[in-house]
Amino acid sequence: MHFSEYDTRLAGYAVIVNDDDEVLLSWFNGGRDHVHAIWTLPGGGIEFDESIEEGTIREIKEETGYDAELIRPLTTHTFTESRRNPAFGTSTPRPFKGARVVFEARITGGTLGTLEVGGTTDRAEWLPIGSLAEVRHARIIDIGLEALRGGRHS
């Protein structure tokens, strides 16, 4: 399928781990359909006039309250859907491809607390990495943590 025949969303995410082996996560509230609520990495869609790095840093700030510095790119991940997720609005018959860049990042300032108002992030928290198997979480977390450890995602 030619690239002009589907919609694309470019997004940047960050893996931020503290000295207590906790990962910083944001709670995606599911948008219009709260059944899709899930823990995810801080990050999100890159605006048209932003670099991937600028957009990722902006998303970290909006979702967590923290200022951050990107250390290095860890991995990329793509996925396709037959149509956009209805949680974000009206579906479309156009196929959809998500392209995500995952960075390692560190906190440089700020205070924990979501700055996003009326958006899809309700809160941010530090969760022990060992507890992730017990909580509903997005696959991008596993992909990012595996890349941080030097593994490859599938």
Side-chain angles (χ1 to χ4, degrees), residues 4-18:
S4 65
E5 299 176 78
Y6 61 89
D7 295 327
T8 306
R9 178 179 183 260
L10 177 60
Y13 293 88
V15 176
I16 305 171
V17 176
N18 66 19

Side-chain angles (χ1 to χ4, degrees), residues 114-128:
T114 301
L115 303 177
E116 193 174 271
V117 176
T120 58
T121 301
D122 285 350
R123 67 185 185 277
E125 292 181 24
W126 292 97
L127 271 66

Side-chain angles (χ1 to χ4, degrees), residues 27-38 87 122 136:
W27 181 252
F28 169 69
N29 64 24
R32 295 183 183 184
D33 187 354
H34 295 294
V35 73
H36 296 297
I38 195 166
D122 285 350
R136 181 175 163 86

Side-chain angles (χ1 to χ4, degrees), residues 52-103:
I52 298 170
E53 295 83 0
E54 290 168 340
T56 303
I57 290 169
R58 175 188 49 76
E59 286 284 344
I60 294 166
K61 180 71 171 182
E62 289 176 0
E63 294 184 0
T64 71
Y66 287 123
D67 299 309
E69 172 184 56
L70 303 180
I71 297 170
R72 64 186 172 117
L74 292 172
T75 191
T76 61
H77 180 256
T78 60
F79 65 95
T80 57
E81 294 179 357
S82 60
R83 59 186 194 172
R84 288 188 186 274
N85 186 332
F88 296 109
T90 307
S91 294
T92 174
R94 286 177 57 89
F96 172 77
K97 182 171 193 163
R100 307 188 283 190
V101 179
V102 182
F103 295 91

Side-chain angles (χ1 to χ4, degrees), residues 23 25 39-41 132 137-146:
V23 62
L25 300 179
W39 286 109
T40 189
L41 294 174
L132 291 176
H137 68 279
R139 185 167 178 248
I140 194 70
I141 298 170
D142 300 324
I143 291 167
L145 288 171
E146 185 176 341

Side-chain angles (χ1 to χ4, degrees), residues 1 3 30 51 68 81-82 99 104 106 135:
M1 178 181 301
F3 71 86
S51 69
E81 294 179 357
S82 60
E104 178 182 9
R106 68 179 187 87
V135 298

